[in-house]
Amino acid sequence: MARKKSDKRRASRQPVRGRSREWGERLSRLTTGWRAVGILWIAGLIAFAPTITFDFTGYDDDALIVNRLEQWQTDFSPLRFFTEPTLLNPDQTPFYRPLLMFSFWLDAQFSGGQPMGYHLSNLFWHLVAVWMLFFMLTGLFKERSPALMITLIFAVHPLNTQAVAWLPGRNDVLLGIAGFSSIAFWLRWLKSRKNVYFYGHLLLFLAALFIKETAVALPLVAVLAWITIANAPAPRLFGWSLAGWLIAGSVWWMFRMQVFGGAATLKNVAVAGPFEILVGLSMYAVKAVVPLYLSPYPISRDMNLIWLIAAVLLLIMPGYWGFREKRLAWFGAGWFILWLLPTFVQGAEEVNFLEPRAYVALPGLWLVLTQIQWRKAPIPNPAGRVLITGLVLGFVVQTWTYAQAFANPASFWETMRRRSPESVFTYYGLGNWYMQKQDYAAAVEAYRQAVTIKPDYSRAWYNMGNAYFQMGDLEEAEAAYLRSLQIRPNFQKAQQNLAAVYFNRANQLRQRGRSGEAIAFYQKALQWHPGFIQAYNNLAVLLSEIGRNNQSLVLLKRALALDPNRPETHLNLAIVYFARNEFQRAARHADRALQLGAVVDSTFLQALSPYRQSFSTLPGPNRQNQ
């Protein structure tokens, strides 16, 4: 009886095994050659094709692309990207990413200011990165099906949405291309010892450094592969590898130092604390497996109990089921962590965990998941295949949905406000967008929210002052600028704009006949901005009107020293000298004002005509400046 029952069980299992073998053969055929790459590209196209119709978002793509289009369309050499910072504003983080900027410049030659060309390029580079990832993973597995599964998930994963749909996310996509292919060459060199693979690895490492600074992690990932995959071969080869990495890194560092100098290389840069790093790794890990609560600008305050529970479950799973090949699992875990660690060196006002930074790290965690011995779980093989298919389709739908956040500035900033309501940058960026729309009242409210979250945010106070200034509320603008300068006393732009506030208030008081108060505000303007030529001129004219010509003359000479070719200054000097009965000097400055394009009253010129005639033979210092 027992033998008959066991025979029946074997008979019932044989069809299932036959079907499994048949599925395996079909999968094997699909994973060979260009068929696999074609499948991956089709999946990536389906997931991200809607992004090609998207607009610019106004978040970093303005600084990297839009504001530079006019310059790029003139006689501009792309070699300049290697000799200047990526962000031209000296107050911003010293990024040096010339190959990223070269790719944008190349797009601009064909697309100009139309965003579609840039988005097409982002999608194209993502498909290349998918190909390079598959190329790398096939060097890790004996069979290609795990490599195909990991790459397929990567191709459509919602966590990669921002890297593809948001134009500045190209940074990480290009880094993925260089990083994946560099490690692929490294793995092949470890197996074959062919020098062409080693030199290819080094060249791609150097390219990765010129794409993004976080490529410094690549040698560490290579060492990890050396230990876990190749079982640490000859130390002599490691010495040559170390020398190659140091040479490539030194070349990159010399270029960077030439651009920024010594101390400026680390200006506006800070390292996140241990708690922020732990939170960031947890958030990235959970989103890599269960991509929920995606946000264009995640911060640590976005984390809640759900994240904590999910992170704990991720740690428990391997311990419960175990691994098929521990070396691959260790390599995947190390890959995930090592690529993310450099991203915690940041220059933002608050620690953030931008999702594109997980682009290169993502395959590492899925490599770990493929090595878990799921056979202990109550999921048979056919159901597992259905589960993977459903997972990929679900990811595609979620990617479509989430990508709409990057379709245009309105949807982008609305998504920011909805998904990261406690981020200071959410309201700071929203205020900047309102400023572009000239909705200054809404901008003030957004900046007010930003300084409520971070009271010492100098730039938010400064921008709030700009919004009040545009609204004509000079008293509130003055208060905002003073608060900004209280936090950051050497903030030159705030000093100059505060001077502009005092200048405008002085003009208003002058029109009302309150000369004494107007003089005081002009003097305040010059205290904050000693190079304010218009303030010198207006104050000089006011002093001349009330008979204080000597003081007026001193101010106008200072203005002339700042800009010898300003026609207004020469005309005002002519008027003051005329009032002092110094007619020849008055005539000389009137003549110079005319040469520079000033409109001079004909009656005044007629009064100076005898002196202008005699002056015409004198060279004078101003004539030398023509």
Side-chain angles (χ1 to χ4, degrees):
M1 289 293 291
R3 181 176 294 177
K4 286 181 181 180
K5 287 182 181 179
S6 66
D7 289 343
K8 287 181 181 178
R9 279 196 295 269
R10 284 196 203 98
S12 64
R13 287 176 185 168
Q14 282 175 357
V16 175
R17 288 180 180 175
R19 286 195 298 271
S20 297
R21 191 178 298 111
E22 183 182 349
W23 274 98
E25 290 173 357
R26 289 180 182 177
L27 190 59
S28 178
R29 287 196 297 271
L30 287 175
T31 58
T32 56
W34 287 99
R35 287 183 181 177
V37 177
I39 291 170
L40 296 170
W41 282 352
I42 291 170
L45 280 170
I46 292 172
F48 291 104
T51 64
I52 66 173
T53 63
F54 287 1
D55 198 354
F56 299 110
T57 62
Y59 171 36
D60 281 0
D61 50 19
D62 52 350
L64 295 175
I65 303 171
V66 178
N67 297 344
R68 302 194 182 193
L69 289 174
E70 185 176 351
Q71 180 191 31
W72 290 351
Q73 289 167 358
T74 59
D75 186 17
F76 180 85
S77 170
L79 294 177
R80 280 181 55 180
F81 294 131
F82 290 88
T83 60
E84 64 184 22
T86 298
L87 296 175
L88 300 178
N89 187 336
D91 294 327
Q92 293 176 310
T93 309
F95 292 137
Y96 179 62
R97 300 169 181 181
L99 290 184
L100 169 71
M101 297 308 297
F102 177 77
S103 75
F104 287 141
W105 173 85
L106 202 60
D107 289 345
Q109 306 314 300
F110 300 98
S111 303
Q114 298 301 315
M116 178 175 285
Y118 300 90
H119 284 292
L120 274 170
S121 290
N122 263 31
L123 179 55
F124 168 76
W125 291 123
H126 173 61
L127 297 179
V128 175
V130 167
W131 179 21
M132 291 299 102
L133 175 61
F134 184 65
F135 175 56
M136 184 195 79
L137 290 176
T138 53
L140 292 177
F141 295 101
K142 296 177 182 177
E143 298 180 358
R144 291 196 169 196
S145 54
L148 179 65
M149 186 189 78
I150 294 172
T151 313
L152 184 60
I153 290 172
F154 175 84
V156 302
H157 203 290
L159 188 57
N160 289 337
T161 302
Q162 189 170 357
V164 182
W166 179 55
L167 292 176
R170 183 184 302 183
N171 216 2
D172 294 278
V173 177
L174 294 177
L175 179 63
I177 294 171
F180 297 151
S181 52
S182 180
I183 295 299
F185 281 142
W186 174 257
L187 292 172
R188 281 156 177 76
W189 177 69
L190 291 179
K191 291 179 181 179
S192 68
R193 298 294 189 274
K194 291 182 179 179
N195 288 336
V196 65
Y197 290 132
F198 177 68
Y199 294 133
H201 161 74
L202 289 182
L203 186 63
L204 287 162
F205 170 48
L206 181 61
L209 288 171
F210 282 111
I211 292 169
K212 191 175 182 180
E213 297 82 354
T214 51
V216 295
L218 201 149
L220 298 176
V221 175
V223 171
L224 180 66
W226 190 306
I227 295 170
T228 57
I229 307 299
N231 297 318
R236 181 176 62 85
L237 296 177
F238 179 77
W240 282 107
S241 305
L242 183 61
W245 294 328
L246 288 174
I247 291 171
S250 298
V251 170
W252 165 73
W253 187 253
M254 283 190 296
F255 273 87
R256 183 181 172 86
M257 286 288 286
Q258 288 231 323
V259 173
F260 294 108
T265 305
L266 300 176
K267 181 183 177 182
N268 298 330
V269 171
V271 181
F275 174 75
E276 283 86 2
I277 293 175
L278 182 61
V279 169
L281 290 174
S282 300
M283 290 181 73
Y284 284 128
V286 173
K287 288 182 180 182
V289 181
V290 186
L292 301 176
Y293 304 104
L294 298 176
S295 168
Y297 197 84
I299 58 173
S300 57
R301 289 190 293 276
D302 294 341
M303 191 167 185
N304 52 37
L305 186 61
I306 297 174
W307 291 103
L308 184 61
I309 294 172
V312 170
L313 288 175
L314 279 176
L315 292 173
I316 291 174
M317 279 194 306
Y320 178 76
W321 281 300
F323 293 112
R324 291 189 179 90
E325 290 191 60
K326 288 185 178 180
R327 62 188 185 89
L328 289 178
W330 281 113
F331 177 67
W335 173 286
F336 181 77
I337 293 171
L338 289 174
W339 278 112
L340 284 174
L341 282 179
T343 69
F344 296 107
V345 180
Q346 300 182 10
E349 295 287 345
E350 61 185 346
V351 177
N352 59 78
F353 313 115
L354 293 182
E355 289 160 4
R357 296 172 187 158
Y359 187 87
V360 185
L362 177 63
L365 195 60
W366 278 92
L367 178 57
V368 175
L369 294 175
T370 61
Q371 297 310 303
I372 296 177
Q373 297 187 52
W374 299 106
R375 66 175 180 271
K376 293 183 180 180
I379 304 176
N381 284 338
R385 294 189 189 97
V386 172
L387 183 63
I388 294 296
T389 304
L391 183 68
V392 170
L393 292 175
F395 280 177
V396 169
V397 173
Q398 190 178 0
T399 297
W400 285 343
T401 305
Y402 179 46
Q404 294 305 313
F406 305 93
N408 53 63
S411 60
F412 179 80
W413 292 111
E414 181 56 37
T415 304
M416 284 273 286
R417 177 162 34 190
R418 189 173 65 253
R419 302 201 179 187
S420 297
E422 296 187 53
S423 166
V424 63
F425 183 77
T426 293
Y427 298 102
Y428 177 74
L430 188 63
N432 292 346
W433 180 55
Y434 283 135
M435 288 289 284
Q436 290 177 6
K437 291 177 60 183
Q438 299 182 356
D439 188 349
Y440 302 119
V444 165
E445 290 304 313
Y447 293 132
R448 181 97 36 207
Q449 288 276 3
V451 297
T452 300
I453 297 171
K454 186 178 175 64
D456 62 345
Y457 195 179
S458 175
R459 292 196 67 84
W461 283 108
Y462 165 74
N463 282 7
M464 189 191 301
N466 292 343
Y468 276 124
F469 188 89
Q470 294 295 333
M471 293 168 64
D473 193 338
L474 298 181
E475 291 186 4
E476 289 292 345
E478 176 189 3
Y481 289 137
L482 286 172
R483 183 72 180 95
S484 176
L485 288 164
Q486 183 182 2
I487 299 164
R488 187 179 168 191
N490 298 321
F491 192 179
Q492 190 175 19
K493 289 182 178 180
Q495 292 172 347
Q496 293 174 351
N497 286 12
L498 179 60
V501 167
Y502 291 136
F503 176 79
N504 279 273
R505 293 187 70 179
N507 290 341
Q508 291 174 355
L509 291 166
R510 180 185 170 192
Q511 290 173 356
R512 297 171 191 165
R514 296 159 63 178
S515 300
E517 294 174 73
I519 290 171
F521 275 105
Y522 281 132
Q523 290 171 339
K524 278 187 175 183
L526 290 170
Q527 286 174 2
W528 284 104
H529 184 13
F532 198 166
I533 296 175
Q534 188 63 50
Y536 280 115
N537 272 281
N538 282 25
L539 178 55
V541 170
L542 178 56
L543 290 171
S544 178
E545 288 174 353
I546 61 176
R548 293 160 64 175
N549 288 316
N550 290 340
Q551 294 178 15
S552 176
L553 187 60
V554 171
L555 292 169
L556 289 171
K557 286 181 177 180
R558 289 179 187 170
L560 191 65
L562 291 168
D563 184 0
N565 296 316
R566 193 178 181 100
E568 180 187 7
T569 305
H570 284 284
L571 180 57
N572 288 334
L573 276 166
I575 294 170
V576 172
Y577 278 126
F578 188 86
R580 289 165 55 94
N581 297 325
E582 298 183 45
F583 301 118
Q584 191 170 352
R585 289 184 176 178
R588 186 173 66 182
H589 284 289
D591 229 23
R592 183 61 177 151
L594 282 170
Q595 292 170 5
L596 293 170
V599 178
V600 184
D601 183 70
S602 59
T603 306
F604 183 55
L605 288 175
Q606 188 174 2
L608 289 173
S609 57
Y611 308 100
R612 293 180 65 218
Q613 192 173 24
S614 62
F615 168 68
S616 62
T617 60
L618 299 175
N622 290 317
R623 288 185 179 271
Q624 298 174 3
N625 294 322
Q626 292 183 30

